[in-house]
């Protein structure tokens, strides 16, 4: 059974940091590009960051460039999202997703496998 399980969300003050993790099982993790997306209440799910299977290429949404870093450890079947300088607008449920085509696309429909999400709350 394929599973993506996010963790690391929580409540943090504006300006603070969080590190999200996504542990994958039931798939050959190293063959997949991985992405992070987020969805705030009343808003559509949006792309945050993506990383190719070999970590050579990463992509970021403009609104997180310079603040967030995506990385992966294929030996641990885990992808991470380090989030620094968090702003109230970053509050959302964060989802990881797996892209079997390995491209690290910014498009939601490219990703067939999704986790259940982890809540990030920012206090101002």
């Amino acid at each position: 059974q394929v599973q993506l399980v996010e963790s690391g969300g929580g409540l943090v003050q504006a300006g603070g940091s969080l590190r999200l993790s996504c542990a994958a099982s039931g798939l050959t993790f190293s063959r997949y590009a991985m992405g992070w997306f987020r969805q705030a209440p009343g808003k559509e799910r949006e792309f945050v960051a993506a990383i190719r299977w070999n970590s050579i290429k990463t992509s970021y949404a403009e609104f997180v460039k310079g603040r967030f870093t995506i990385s992966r450890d294929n030996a641990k079947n885990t992808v991470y999202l380090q989030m620094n300088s968090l702003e109230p607008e970053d509050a959302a449920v964060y989802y990881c997703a797996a892209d079997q085509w390995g491209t690290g696309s910014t498009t939601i429909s490219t990703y067939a496998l999704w986790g259940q999400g982890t809540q990030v709350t920012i206090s101002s």
Side-chain angles (χ1 to χ4, degrees), residues 26-42:
L27 73 164
T28 305
F29 180 75
S30 60
R31 294 182 180 178
Y32 286 74
M34 298 298 295
W36 285 98
F37 295 78
R38 70 185 188 186
Q39 188 167 17

Side-chain angles (χ1 to χ4, degrees), residues 50-117:
I51 187 168
R52 287 195 178 177
W53 68 273
N54 56 5
S55 302
I56 286 181
K57 181 178 179 181
T58 56
S59 302
Y60 295 94
E62 282 297 323
F63 53 77
V64 302
K65 280 186 178 179
R67 299 189 298 126
F68 291 10
T69 303
I70 188 171
S71 61
R72 66 189 294 160
D73 185 338
N74 287 344
K76 296 182 178 180
N77 288 358
T78 302
V79 61
Y80 306 96
L81 185 68
Q82 178 67 44
M83 306 188 295
N84 298 328
S85 302
L86 284 162
E87 303 168 353
E89 295 74 21
D90 294 319
V93 177
Y94 282 72
Y95 300 88
C96 72
D99 163 21
Q100 69 180 74
W101 306 112
T103 62
S105 169
T106 63
T107 304
I108 290 176
S109 59
T110 303
Y111 294 81
L113 305 172
W114 292 82
Q116 83 290 347

